[in-house]
Amino acid sequence: MSALTRTFTLLLPLTMLATAQVPNFAQLKKMRARFARAEMRVDAARLPDGDRKALVKLIQAGRLMNEIYMRQVWSANPATYAKAQSNLSALGRERMLYYWINKAPWSELDGYTAFLPGVPARKPAGGSFYPADMSREEFEGWLQSLPREQQVQATGFFTVIRRDTAGKLTIVPYHKEYGAELQKAAQFLKEASALTGNESLKRFLTLRADAFLSDDYYASDVAWMDLDAPLDVTIGPYETYTDELLGYKAAYEAYLCLRDEAETARLKYFADHMQEIEDHLPIEAKYRNPKLGAAAPIRVVNEIIATGDGAHGVRTAAFNLPNDEHVIREKGSKRVMLKNVQEAKFHLILEPVSQRVLAPAAQSDLSFDAFFTHILAHEMTHGIGPHQVTDGGKVSTPRQELKDLYGAIEEAKADVCGLFMLQHLLDKSLLRDSAVNERNLYTTYLASAFRSLRFGSADAHGKGMAIQVRYLMEKGAFRAAGNGTFSVDSARMKGAIRDLAHDLLTVEAAGDYASAQAMMEGARVLPPEFQKTLEQLKDIPIDLEPEFVTATSLARSNWSAARPGSASPKKTPPRATRK
Ligand code: ZN
C-alpha cells in the first residue's frame, strides 16, 4: 500500500529510501526543516483565577493523551521513544526531535516511512488497536460470527481487539486497555473541575472524567456540545484516522484553548444558514435532511496546547466533533477553529507558496479572510450532508460503509461543499460584511490546494485534495499557464464544484465503497503540471511545529510553586528540554 500511496509525496531523496536504510543527520535535519517553528503564545492572564489554576491541571491531563496516543500508534512506541531520548549524539538528538514531531519513528510526510533503525519499515496500518498479525479478512470473518451486540462493540470507537490465550480474537474496552493513564487523567479533570467557576466547564470535566473510566462517552459528549466557557477544553478519544486498517478506533487527543470572543460572535452568523445550505445541496432530494438539529455551535479559539492525535505531523487548524453519529443526530456537532494556528500557517506557508504557484495577476487575490472563511465553511459542512445509509432496510453510516476511504472522501466533501456553501451565500448577497468575494475565494483555494497536497498521501486531507485537483484540472476550472503558475477559471469553477459535490455526497449517501475506491484510484497520480510545480516547493516549510510557550511556562511555574526552592525541576517533559 505504501508504494501506491507515496506516488505524489514530495520526492525528496529521503522518500526513496530502501527499507533497510534510514536518513542520516543531514537528511533528517532537512526533513525537520519542513516544519516551521511557531510559538503558541496566548494571553492566559485574562482568565479568572480559578480557570488559570484549572488550566495547569488540564495541561497535565492533556500530556497523558500523548502517552496513550503514542501507544495506540504502535505498542512499542513508548519504549522506543524513551530509548531515542537517551541517545545524546547530534544524530540521536535530531532523531529525538523529529520523533516528537511525528509522535512515532515514521515520517508522516514521507508516507510513514521509518527514520529510525530497527523499527518496522512502515507504521502499522492498524496501530495497536488490533493484533499485529490480524488481517482485515480475519477481522471480517470473525465479525460475522458475533451476535449483533458484540458486532457493535467490535466495530466501536472505544475498544481494542486482542487475542485470548487460545489465539481467538476478543474485545477489550479502552478503560481496561489504558486504565493506568485514564485513571490519572480522570483525577486531573476532577481537580480542574473543582477549580473552575464556569458551570458548563465543571459539568463537562466531571462527566468526561467518568467517561474515561466507563467508555460511555454519550453524556460527556453532550456536555461538550453545551460547553460555553472562556477556557475551551476538548479531551478524549475522537478521530479514527490512526486506524488505517478499518477506520473504527478512536485516538486520544486534547486541545486546550482560549475562546476568541469577537470572532466567535461574528461567525455564529453562518450557523444560522446551515439548514438553507442543506436544503440546496446538489444531491437527490431524498438524501437531504429536512430538519437539521439545533444550530450547531461554533467556537473560534486560540490554542494553548494540543496533544496526542492533535499534535503530530501536519497540525490541526480546525476540527468538528464529536464523531458519534448518535450525538450528531440528536445534538449536531460543534466546530472549533484554531485561529492562531491558522494565522501562523497562512503567513509562514501559504504566502510563500502563493508567490510561486499563482499567476502574477492572481497574486493580489490571496486573502487571509478567504482562507479563514473557507476553513470555517469546511468545518460547517462536515455537519451537513448524509450521516445515514439506508441500505435494504439495514441502517448504517457513511463511516461504517466507506471504512478506510471515509476519511479522504469526507475531507474532500467538506472542502467542496464549503466552497458550494460560500458561493451560495455570495449569490444571495449574504456575505456582505466579509471581505470574501469569488475571486479571492477560489484563488486562495487554489493556492491552498498546493499546501494540502504537500501534506503527503498518508493524510486524509492530502488524499481528499488529490481527488479535487484531478477533477478541477479535468474540467478546466484550474488552469496551468505553462510556466509553472496556475489560475482559476471562475465561470467553470462554479459548475465543477457543484458536480463534484454531487458525486461525493452521493457516494456517502449510498455508502458506495466501489465508487469511493474508483475516485481514490483516479487521484493516485496528480496531473503532471501540478506535480511539477509541487516538486518545486520543497524548500518552503510544509507545516508548523508549534512551541507551546504559554503552556510550558504555566506548567513550570506551577511546579516551582509546588516545590519551593527548586527553580529547575530535575525531570522536565520533553518539550521543556528543547532549545
Ligand atoms: Zn475536515
Side-chain angles (χ1 to χ4, degrees):
M1 176 176 173
S2 58
L4 294 182
T5 57
R6 237 181 294 148
T7 315
F8 69 82
T9 51
L10 283 182
L11 295 176
L12 290 177
L14 20 110
T15 63
M16 311 293 275
L17 287 173
T19 49
Q21 284 177 302
V22 290
N24 63 27
F25 176 74
Q27 289 170 322
L28 204 51
K29 230 177 143 61
K30 221 166 133 187
M31 287 164 85
R32 191 162 66 88
R34 293 177 295 181
F35 294 87
R37 217 25 141 10
E39 290 194 346
M40 297 292 126
R41 201 180 287 281
V42 176
D43 183 15
R46 63 184 178 81
L47 278 174
D49 195 45
D51 275 5
R52 226 173 29 252
K53 288 183 178 139
L55 179 54
V56 176
K57 301 287 180 192
L58 293 170
I59 291 168
Q60 287 168 288
R63 285 178 172 162
L64 285 163
M65 301 303 110
N66 279 332
E67 290 179 26
I68 303 180
Y69 170 73
M70 287 176 79
R71 237 173 93 197
Q72 290 184 308
V73 170
W74 181 42
S75 54
N77 207 12
T80 309
Y81 181 56
K83 203 176 148 205
Q85 279 180 296
S86 67
N87 182 343
L88 302 176
S89 69
L91 174 60
R93 188 183 140 74
E94 197 57 42
R95 281 175 174 163
M96 190 268 284
L97 295 174
Y98 196 56
Y99 203 124
W100 188 246
I101 289 176
N102 286 279
K103 300 287 186 296
W106 300 284
S107 177
E108 244 173 87
L109 292 181
D110 305 298
Y112 288 119
T113 47
F115 59 86
L116 212 66
V119 304
R122 191 197 182 273
K123 179 173 95 73
S128 67
F129 300 117
Y130 310 96
D133 62 351
M134 188 203 80
S135 68
R136 178 187 303 184
E137 290 70 31
E138 184 187 1
F139 179 87
E140 279 170 358
W142 169 68
L143 192 64
Q144 293 313 312
S145 75
L146 296 176
R148 175 76 188 134
E149 195 179 313
Q150 281 186 44
Q151 286 185 357
V152 172
Q153 287 173 16
T155 58
F157 286 124
F158 313 124
T159 59
V160 294
I161 308 301
R162 295 288 174 254
R163 287 194 194 279
D164 63 18
T165 45
K168 210 173 155 292
L169 296 178
T170 172
I171 302 167
V172 178
Y174 274 10
H175 70 273
K176 292 225 166 71
E177 180 71 13
Y178 310 117
E181 295 90 343
L182 289 174
Q183 277 171 24
K184 279 192 251 173
Q187 184 58 33
F188 283 131
L189 295 194
K190 281 184 191 150
E191 288 172 18
S193 144
L195 288 164
T196 180
N198 181 288
E199 282 308 316
S200 70
L201 181 58
K202 227 181 237 306
R203 184 171 164 74
F204 168 66
L205 295 175
T206 309
L207 290 170
R208 183 54 40 125
D210 293 345
F212 275 169
L213 307 179
S214 69
D215 290 319
D216 183 354
Y217 281 89
Y218 181 79
S220 58
D221 272 346
V222 171
W224 183 81
M225 288 298 299
D226 293 332
L227 176 64
D228 197 1
L231 187 54
D232 195 81
V233 180
T234 302
I235 185 167
Y238 286 108
E239 304 284 3
T240 58
Y241 302 117
T242 306
D243 175 5
E244 295 178 289
L245 189 66
L246 291 158
Y248 292 141
K249 306 302 173 191
Y252 284 84
E253 64 185 353
Y255 295 95
L256 308 179
C257 305
L258 223 58
R259 188 170 60 189
D260 188 315
E261 309 288 351
E263 289 289 353
T264 298
R266 186 168 74 93
L267 294 164
K268 261 181 186 155
Y269 169 80
F270 292 105
D272 296 338
H273 293 276
M274 292 321 287
Q275 182 68 56
E276 181 185 340
I277 304 300
E278 173 84 27
D279 295 344
H280 286 85
L281 282 178
I283 187 173
E284 269 188 78
K286 66 173 178 182
Y287 291 137
R288 294 188 194 127
N289 183 349
K291 197 172 187 308
L292 292 176
I298 275 185
R299 302 277 180 265
V300 180
V301 302
N302 291 296
E303 179 178 294
I304 303 166
I305 188 172
T307 62
D309 196 24
H312 60 92
V314 172
R315 298 306 165 123
T316 302
F319 55 84
N320 194 84
L321 289 174
N323 286 324
D324 185 333
E325 305 290 343
H326 184 195
V327 183
I328 293 175
R329 275 197 301 277
E330 287 180 13
K331 293 284 287 187
S333 53
K334 182 165 82 179
R335 293 91 188 172
V336 179
M337 322 223 1
L338 305 164
K339 196 184 175 197
N340 57 345
V341 177
Q342 285 158 351
E343 277 178 325
K345 289 190 189 213
F346 184 84
H347 294 304
L348 290 168
I349 301 152
L350 198 52
E351 279 176 1
V353 163
S354 301
Q355 281 162 18
R356 294 196 207 163
V357 307
L358 293 183
Q363 293 283 346
S364 60
D365 289 328
L366 185 78
S367 144
F368 177 69
D369 254 326
F371 179 71
F372 186 75
T373 310
H374 182 232
I375 296 175
L376 169 71
H378 169 113
E379 290 306 320
M380 296 180 93
T381 49
H382 272 312
I384 62 171
H387 281 101
Q388 228 179 42
V389 176
T390 319
D391 177 15
K394 186 186 102 183
V395 176
S396 177
T397 63
R399 179 186 299 277
Q400 296 280 333
E401 296 301 315
L402 300 180
K403 301 185 180 77
D404 54 314
L405 306 181
Y406 175 74
I409 296 291
E410 174 62 18
E411 289 313 322
K413 167 215 136 180
D415 275 347
V416 171
C417 290
L419 290 174
F420 173 83
M421 164 187 158
L422 294 174
Q423 182 66 57
H424 177 89
L425 296 176
L426 282 169
D427 290 345
K428 302 246 154 159
S429 299
L430 290 170
L431 280 183
R432 268 169 308 193
D433 294 342
S434 134
V436 179
N437 57 45
E438 256 172 50
R439 276 177 54 151
N440 66 19
L441 175 64
Y442 291 130
T443 302
T444 303
Y445 164 71
L446 164 61
S448 190
F450 281 95
R451 196 182 68 94
S452 303
L453 289 170
R454 300 171 82 231
F455 297 165
S457 54
D459 179 86
H461 300 81
K463 279 183 201 162
M465 187 50 87
I467 294 175
Q468 298 165 62
V469 161
R470 179 188 173 248
Y471 192 90
L472 296 171
M473 287 290 286
E474 235 173 59
K475 300 286 171 187
F478 282 171
R479 275 210 301 238
N483 60 358
T485 68
F486 292 79
S487 59
V488 169
D489 184 329
S490 281
R492 291 184 184 199
M493 193 72 181
K494 285 188 227 175
I497 288 297
R498 195 183 170 83
D499 293 346
L500 181 53
H502 169 269
D503 293 357
L504 291 162
L505 288 165
T506 305
V507 160
E508 289 198 344
D512 185 353
Y513 189 88
S515 295
Q517 205 165 29
M519 280 181 162
M520 298 297 308
E521 194 55 27
R524 213 160 49 68
V525 179
L526 284 177
E529 312 93 312
F530 238 81
Q531 181 66 40
K532 202 172 160 211
T533 295
L534 190 63
E535 281 166 28
Q536 283 158 4
L537 303 175
K538 283 180 207 166
D539 56 318
I540 298 174
I542 289 173
D543 201 60
L544 307 178
E545 190 198 358
E547 184 75 36
F548 302 115
V549 288
T550 299
T552 303
S553 94
L554 275 169
R556 191 184 284 142
S557 65
N558 181 64
W559 181 287
S560 306
R563 308 183 63 196
S566 75
S568 57
K570 276 192 193 101
K571 197 176 172 225
T572 49
R575 302 292 301 181
T577 63
R578 311 193 45 182
K579 298 219 168 68

